[in-house]
Amino acid sequence: RRGAITTVIGPNGAGKSTLFKTIFGLLTVRSGSIVIDGRDTTNFDPRAMLDAGVAYVPQGRNIFPELSVAHNLELGAVALKDQSRVPDRVAAIMQRFPMLKEKARTQASTLSGGQQKILEVARSLLLDPKLLLIDEPSIGLSPLLVQEVFDILRGLRNKGVTILLIEQNANMALSV
């Protein structure tokens, strides 16, 4: 449902990340179908999924460590069809996440793990997704930063973004 958070829970090796990679078009569907917002997206490639309003934040750290926070954000908008909108989108994201604005010129590798995860989520939001696939957002984070990341997810849900979440912290995942 639009604006819902759905959690996929299971043991390591059960195929949770594979499911997300398949939904996002990184792997080929072998059977079944994928329907998003009434549209069959089975075997769409990742670019087509971005165009369909789907963003994916994979497990682990997926930033460009040698680049600044601002450049990481700009690269997140590379898939926008209208590149003239990038500066405004980046500015809006920095308003939404003041820590990123404060650290805009900082090399991304110097951010804490939680700050890097926030950067990843913020980068995915540049494309204004309808559906956000996020894999293990709390991995390696302190309890305080886990709470901050889940507060961000709640805020996105409240703005109508649908979230499909993989999370080992079942209590936290089920709380949202």
Side-chain angles (χ1 to χ4, degrees):
R1 291 183 335 266
R2 190 167 233 357
I5 297 177
T6 302
T7 304
V8 179
I9 299 174
N12 289 337
K16 300 178 303 292
S17 295
T18 300
L19 171 67
F20 275 28
K21 289 174 187 172
T22 304
I23 291 170
F24 194 66
L26 294 169
L27 299 173
T28 303
V29 174
R30 294 197 316 223
S31 67
S33 61
I34 300 167
V35 178
I36 299 173
D37 204 19
R39 183 177 178 194
D40 186 346
T41 61
T42 307
N43 290 324
F44 272 27
D45 64 24
R47 176 59 194 232
M49 292 306 287
L50 290 171
D51 290 344
V54 180
Y56 174 43
V57 179
Q59 182 178 353
R61 299 291 175 261
N62 295 284
I63 60 167
F64 300 97
E66 303 303 317
L67 299 180
S68 70
V69 168
H71 284 128
N72 267 270
L73 289 171
E74 290 165 3
L75 284 172
V78 75
L80 278 177
K81 289 181 180 167
D82 182 359
Q83 286 293 299
S84 69
R85 298 173 57 201
V86 172
D88 290 339
R89 290 279 182 111
V90 169
I93 287 293
M94 287 191 182
Q95 280 299 119
R96 189 171 189 181
F97 301 99
M99 176 276 300
L100 297 178
K101 184 175 185 178
E102 177 184 307
K103 298 192 177 274
R105 298 191 188 282
T106 303
Q107 188 173 331
S109 64
T110 66
L111 299 177
S112 72
Q115 291 170 332
Q116 289 180 23
K117 185 52 72 177
I118 290 168
L119 174 59
E120 288 180 81
V121 171
R123 191 174 56 203
S124 73
L125 298 180
L126 286 165
L127 301 175
D128 197 24
K130 295 184 284 186
L131 171 62
L132 176 64
L133 307 173
I134 186 163
D135 190 347
E136 299 280 1
S138 73
I139 200 164
L141 302 184
S142 71
L144 185 61
L145 287 173
V146 169
Q147 188 62 51
E148 187 173 346
V149 168
F150 275 84
D151 287 346
I152 290 167
L153 295 179
R154 280 185 199 94
L156 292 172
R157 174 196 59 204
N158 294 341
K159 291 183 184 302
V161 177
T162 303
I163 299 168
L164 187 55
L165 168 72
I166 294 173
E167 181 54 59
Q168 288 294 322
N169 183 340
N171 288 333
M172 182 60 80
L174 295 173
S175 76
V176 297

